[in-house]
Amino acid sequence: MTEKTLILDSENFHRLLKAQEVRKDTGGAKVSISLSVFDIPKSLTVNTDSEQEKMKLTFRYIDNEKAIERKRTDTTSIFVGEHSGKLMGLLIHYGDKNPRRIPMEIHEFVEKEIPNLKRENQRLNYGLIKELVSSSEVEPLLA
């Protein structure tokens, strides 16, 4: 098993974070919605087990909210915050698939989850994670 951790504090990460802001015009008043510091991951740890052909991504936040596992497909489970619903991790059984496709598959998977989310902060959090796993900083950790 291999483990790699990345602290998320680069300029690239802040650009991705800024892109998640939502601006709305509601009856003449301009409103901007952005993520709370509690919904922004501070680090990402990737554990890969090539023998069992699985990979676990764990996003760490400033709080210690309990993560609840939710099985989504035969090969994918997500871990969400018990109260916030933020994305705290993914477990992927990639089997005989090329592990280099994992970033693209995570991106597509998270994209499909976003329309089912009820709160704006959850959609912003998932959107950030979706872009993050495709970023030049994180992609090498997943390959």
Side-chain angles (χ1 to χ4, degrees):
M1 180 176 289
T2 61
E3 180 175 293
K4 303 173 193 170
T5 299
L6 178 66
I7 305 300
L8 303 171
D9 63 356
S10 72
E11 186 175 314
N12 184 36
F13 179 67
H14 291 291
R15 178 187 55 76
L16 295 175
L17 185 58
K18 186 94 173 133
Q20 296 308 309
E21 290 183 12
V22 175
R23 290 179 175 76
K24 296 180 180 180
D25 189 348
T26 57
K30 295 185 185 214
V31 177
S32 178
I33 302 170
S34 59
L35 283 165
S36 147
V37 295
F38 295 100
D39 294 327
I40 301 169
K42 297 299 175 197
S43 69
L44 166 63
T45 300
V46 179
N47 291 294
T48 306
D49 185 337
S50 54
E51 283 184 20
Q52 293 187 14
E53 299 176 322
K54 66 181 180 178
M55 178 181 289
K56 183 172 184 189
L57 285 72
T58 304
F59 298 96
R60 304 247 189 268
Y61 296 84
I62 62 172
D63 59 4
N64 290 317
E65 185 175 12
K66 181 180 176 184
I68 306 295
E69 183 176 3
R70 295 190 177 146
K71 190 146 180 83
R72 287 297 193 242
T73 67
D74 289 343
T75 59
T76 308
S77 291
I78 62 173
F79 297 85
V80 297
E82 181 178 34
H83 302 290
S84 68
K86 65 188 168 200
L87 191 55
M88 300 182 74
L90 293 129
L91 178 61
I92 300 147
H93 295 272
Y94 54 84
D96 60 355
K97 293 180 191 173
N98 182 348
R100 296 191 185 282
R101 285 199 30 84
I102 290 174
M104 185 182 344
E105 289 189 16
I106 293 171
H107 187 277
E108 292 168 1
F109 174 80
V110 174
E111 178 78 21
K112 289 178 186 172
E113 288 283 311
I114 291 173
N116 303 321
L117 301 170
K118 305 217 182 314
R119 297 187 305 225
E120 193 68 49
N121 67 313
Q122 292 171 323
R123 287 189 288 275
L124 291 172
N125 170 261
Y126 277 57
L128 178 61
I129 300 299
K130 177 185 75 163
E131 296 304 321
L132 183 61
V133 296
S134 302
S135 72
S136 59
E137 225 176 359
V138 172
E139 208 170 71
L141 291 178
L142 305 177

